[in-house]
């Protein structure tokens, strides 16, 4: 089946540094990918829609200068958390849809801890 | 704004019992998804419901969709401990592909 790979699965960084998370579609091309954020014991909240070759579309309340999204190819989207702070600590999950299938597939998730 | 609500938020049930999780949503949608999430893990797709009246079953889980009532149910039959997890429904309005998730139901099946 379609697979979405996310890397790294876990990262710890210091306050003020930037962290890049990668999301790859392994056996299909994805013109659109999605980034979600999940706080402990809460649901997933859509942060932004990543569009190949164009700017990402951010949901209301999400700082685009803080969460930089780049979708440079049909199989790769990256999310960079810039100048990270402890409140950015969360579980980040990407998803992509295989155009030939109905459902979206999710990456393994990245647990970000900012200390 | 699309709202997706699940109830209950937490469910503790004994092995062998039956129960239903409800997912209500606020705007028209013909696509609804159910996912399972284990602690510290990402989402596992359970069901894709694409039309009014759709019913799907896999093992001890059965999902249904009533688009007129804007309601989906996830029914658990004869629960076993391995079903302990958090279950999310998600709604896809139109064909935008982006999902709005429900609040989640944490299921704990006790021996």
């Amino acid at each position: 089946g379609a697979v979405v790979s996310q890397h790294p699965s876990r990262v710890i960084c210091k306050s003020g540094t930037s962290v890049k998370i990668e999301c790859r579609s392994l056996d299909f091309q994805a013109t659109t990918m999605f980034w979600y954020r999940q706080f402990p014991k809460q649901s997933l909240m859509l942060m932004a829609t990543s569009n190949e070759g164009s700017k990402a579309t951010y949901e209301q309340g999400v700082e685009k200068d803080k969460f930089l999204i780049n979708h440079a190819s049909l199989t790769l989207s990256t999310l960079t958390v810039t100048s990270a702070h402890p409140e950015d600590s969360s579980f980040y999950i990407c998803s992509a849809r295989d155009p030939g299938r109905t459902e979206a597939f999710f990456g393994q998730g990245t647990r970000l801890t900012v200390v | 704004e699309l709202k997706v609500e699940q109830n209950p938020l937490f469910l503790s049930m004994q092995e062998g019992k039956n129960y239903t999780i409800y997912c209500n949503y606020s705007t028209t949608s013909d696509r609804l998804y159910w996912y399972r999430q284990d602690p510290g893990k990402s989402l596992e797709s359970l069901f894709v419901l694409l039309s009014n009246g759709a019913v799907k079953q896999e093992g001890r889980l059965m999902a249904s969709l009533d688009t007129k009532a804007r309601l989906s149910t996830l029914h658990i039959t004869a629960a076993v401990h391995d079903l302990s997890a958090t279950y999310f429904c998600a709604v896809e309005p139109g064909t935008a592909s982006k999902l709005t998730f429900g609040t989640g139901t944490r299921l704990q099946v006790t021996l």
Side-chain angles (χ1 to χ4, degrees):
Chain A
V3 177
V4 174
S5 178
Q6 190 174 338
H7 178 80
S9 59
R10 193 177 288 267
V11 58
I12 300 173
C13 71
K14 292 185 178 180
S15 287
T17 62
S18 296
V19 173
K20 181 184 285 187
I21 303 169
E22 292 187 349
C23 181
R24 295 180 184 273
S25 56
L26 296 185
D27 54 3
F28 64 95
Q29 294 183 330
T31 55
T32 304
M33 293 185 178
F34 302 91
W35 288 95
Y36 296 84
R37 180 175 182 175
Q38 185 181 32
F39 290 108
K41 300 191 189 304
Q42 293 189 24
S43 186
L44 281 76
M45 298 297 294
L46 179 67
M47 298 175 65
T49 302
S50 173
N51 304 299
E52 189 270 332
S54 64
K55 291 183 179 180
T57 305
Y58 290 83
E59 296 299 303
Q60 191 172 7
V62 177
E63 298 176 61
K64 61 181 180 181
D65 294 330
K66 179 164 192 60
F67 299 101
L68 299 180
I69 291 173
N70 184 277
H71 195 150
S73 77
L74 287 170
T75 58
L76 174 63
S77 174
T78 61
L79 168 67
T80 301
V81 183
T82 63
S83 187
H85 292 285
E87 56 265 31
D88 299 324
S89 299
S90 189
F91 193 52
Y92 293 87
I93 308 175
C94 69
S95 80
R97 172 168 288 158
D98 181 343
R101 302 180 64 167
T102 306
E103 60 193 299
F105 293 91
F106 288 81
Q108 301 95 321
T110 297
R111 172 77 57 197
L112 171 63
T113 303
V114 184
V115 298
Chain B
E1 180 189 348
L2 173 59
K3 293 190 185 300
V4 184
E5 295 183 345
Q6 287 179 236
N7 72 83
L9 298 182
F10 176 73
L11 174 58
S12 180
M13 55 190 300
Q14 288 183 321
E15 276 200 334
K17 299 293 185 182
N18 304 332
Y19 208 82
T20 300
I21 299 170
Y22 298 88
C23 173
N24 292 273
Y25 53 98
S26 61
T27 62
T28 302
S29 175
D30 289 333
R31 293 182 178 223
L32 190 135
Y33 306 83
W34 282 96
Y35 295 93
R36 168 181 172 145
Q37 186 178 38
D38 291 298
K41 304 293 186 181
S42 188
L43 301 180
E44 173 189 351
S45 178
L46 295 176
F47 299 107
V48 180
L49 303 170
L50 298 177
S51 61
N52 186 42
V55 177
K56 291 196 175 179
Q57 183 165 5
E58 180 72 33
R60 301 174 187 274
L61 301 178
M62 183 173 71
S64 66
L65 177 61
D66 182 342
T67 58
K68 294 180 181 178
R70 298 177 185 170
L71 171 69
S72 180
T73 61
L74 180 66
H75 186 74
I76 303 156
T77 302
V80 293
H81 181 69
D82 285 351
L83 289 180
S84 297
T86 298
Y87 293 85
F88 291 98
C89 63
V91 175
E92 178 185 358
T95 57
S97 295
K98 60 181 182 179
L99 302 179
T100 298
F101 282 84
T103 43
T105 297
R106 188 158 75 91
L107 172 65
Q108 184 177 63
V109 181
T110 57
L111 298 172

